[in-house]
Amino acid sequence: LTLILLLSLGNPSEVVVTWVTLSSTKFAVVEYNKVGFPLTMRAFGSITKFVDGGTEHRVLFMHRVKLTGLIADQVYGRY
């Protein structure tokens, strides 16, 4: 399960990418570039372990990466 959220907080040159996984990973990293170009831009972020308050106490890992230097109205690709 992967859920991706893109959030911009008023600065059009920055966006925070957030996603959730069911297992831990070594890194929170996003590789991206303008659509049609090689993925040469890379940003690293943080991973936070989260245990839900329900009866199952599921463990989730929340990944958060800030992308900077973006150009407004430019389409980017990511992997």
Side-chain angles (χ1 to χ4, degrees), residues 48-66:
T48 303
K49 182 178 177 180
F50 173 80
V51 179
D52 77 20
T55 57
E56 296 180 32
H57 300 289
R58 291 184 307 161
V59 176
L60 305 171
F61 295 87
M62 304 180 74
H63 307 258
R64 179 182 167 111
V65 177
K66 182 191 276 189

Side-chain angles (χ1 to χ4, degrees), residues 4 16 26 30 44 47 49 53 59 66:
I4 299 174
V16 176
K26 258 186 160 174
V30 174
F44 290 88
I47 303 168
K49 182 178 177 180
V59 176
K66 182 191 276 189

Side-chain angles (χ1 to χ4, degrees), residues 24-58:
S24 183
T25 60
K26 258 186 160 174
F27 303 104
V29 61
V30 174
E31 294 178 327
Y32 64 103
N33 205 343
K34 297 174 187 175
V35 167
F37 290 88
L39 301 176
T40 56
M41 302 169 93
R42 183 179 292 164
F44 290 88
S46 62
I47 303 168
T48 303
K49 182 178 177 180
F50 173 80
V51 179
D52 77 20
T55 57
E56 296 180 32
H57 300 289
R58 291 184 307 161

